[in-house]
Amino acid sequence: MADIALRHWQDMTTGQAATLAESDPVVVLPVAAIEQHGPHLPLSTDYDIGIGLLEAAARELEPDFPLWMLPPMAVGASMEHQDFAGSLSLDPELAIATIRQYGAAVARAGVRRLVLHNSHGGNRQVLDLAGLYLRRDHGLLVVKANYFRTPLPDDLGLSAAELRHGLHGGTIETAMMLHLRPDAVDMAQATTAVSLGQTLERDLRRVGPGGDASFSWMAQDLNAAGVVGDALRADPALGELLVAHYAAALADVLRDARDFPLASLGSEG
């Protein structure tokens, strides 16, 4: 596909924005985080991955696909990382309010299809609530896309423990950064950081950092370094495979948002 599918909201004139709704576009808001990712990855990791996946997904779409990207919401809800230098965070209430303001502006432009593309686990509850407000208040279709919830291929060669617990600065994030931003990765500082969750799953029945009975945690609760996972297993080839996999799934989400039958909803926007 031609690499022209991703269009930036801010590149429009106000006249173009006034007629945007005529194409019934899909508008996507990237929601990310600026937070510590250990000694080997930059604070921008979640942001870089989110934008990189969206750009790759756009290349999968048809050239005339009416996709517009809002100015990214780079800072999200990262209170679990606030004790580490450099981390930025919005209170969840402010993050929700910010997404609501984005959505309200999109609705005023006549747009009916909004995708919230999230690349930070701590934003999930924020997206759930903000999306529901936007559905109630503006009649928008709001699709919430969290790339890390996309099932992975079975043949990656990653251990079950890494897939369950390497959720921050581990193999997957490090590999994607080696593909997307190799200049920003310092593999000399990469380590294997074991999560408290691995100990708890041996000693407890159901309670852990995730799953059906999770406990609230700060990053340093899981590992003193603030990261969990085996960054040493990461390489650019794995990163390229992961980016392609997640981007293909995101492209399908964007197509589904475009094809979603709005008339089937209880109150169409």
Side-chain angles (χ1 to χ4, degrees):
M1 298 295 180
D3 186 13
I4 61 173
L6 185 58
R7 303 168 181 87
H8 295 263
W9 183 275
Q10 61 270 26
D11 290 342
M12 285 187 286
T13 66
T14 189
Q16 290 170 324
T19 61
L20 178 64
E22 295 174 5
S23 65
D24 192 17
V26 174
V27 172
V28 59
L29 173 62
V31 185
I34 303 298
E35 62 184 30
Q36 65 87 22
H37 274 75
H40 65 297
L41 292 175
L43 301 173
S44 63
T45 293
D46 288 338
Y47 175 86
D48 292 334
I49 289 174
I51 298 301
L53 293 180
L54 186 54
E55 290 175 342
R59 291 192 288 270
E60 298 287 323
L61 299 173
E62 298 70 28
D64 61 347
F65 189 97
L67 177 66
W68 290 86
M69 185 181 80
L70 290 161
M73 187 171 156
V75 179
S78 297
M79 71 170 74
E80 69 273 24
H81 300 283
Q82 69 182 21
D83 293 335
F84 290 86
S87 297
L88 304 178
S89 181
L90 302 179
D91 286 339
E93 297 82 1
L94 179 56
I96 292 169
T98 301
I99 295 172
R100 291 178 70 181
Q101 292 300 310
Y102 271 102
V106 163
R108 286 195 298 272
V111 172
R112 299 179 296 170
R113 305 171 191 271
L114 177 65
V115 175
L116 305 177
H117 170 49
N118 177 38
S119 53
H120 166 52
N123 287 333
R124 286 175 296 176
Q125 296 85 355
V126 164
L127 264 63
D128 286 341
L129 289 170
L132 189 56
Y133 276 123
L134 292 173
R135 176 71 196 139
R136 182 196 70 179
D137 297 342
H138 302 288
L140 287 169
L141 169 70
V142 181
V143 176
K144 299 160 291 183
N146 300 278
Y147 86 82
F148 41 82
R149 287 186 165 179
T150 301
L152 285 166
D154 295 329
D155 57 353
L156 289 179
L158 299 181
S159 69
E162 183 65 22
L163 292 173
R164 280 198 304 275
H165 300 292
L167 53 89
H168 191 68
T171 304
I172 289 176
E173 283 191 324
T174 303
M176 285 197 287
M177 286 296 286
L178 284 170
H179 173 62
L180 294 169
R181 287 285 316 277
D183 60 300
V185 182
D186 184 358
M187 286 302 289
Q189 299 295 321
T191 62
T192 298
V194 177
S195 171
L196 172 64
Q198 292 175 253
T199 301
L200 294 179
E201 71 180 4
R202 294 195 303 265
D203 299 338
L204 303 182
R205 296 166 183 81
R206 289 187 176 272
V207 173
D212 61 340
S214 60
F215 65 94
S216 300
W217 48 264
M218 299 292 284
Q220 63 269 32
D221 294 333
L222 302 187
N223 187 285
V227 290
V228 285
D230 186 1
L232 296 175
R233 291 287 306 276
D235 62 62
L238 175 61
E240 183 177 12
L241 186 155
L242 288 166
V243 167
H245 174 78
Y246 286 130
L250 179 57
D252 281 343
V253 170
L254 296 169
R255 291 187 183 101
D256 283 349
R258 171 65 170 164
D259 295 339
F260 193 100
L262 296 179
S264 68
L265 297 174
S267 57
E268 186 181 345

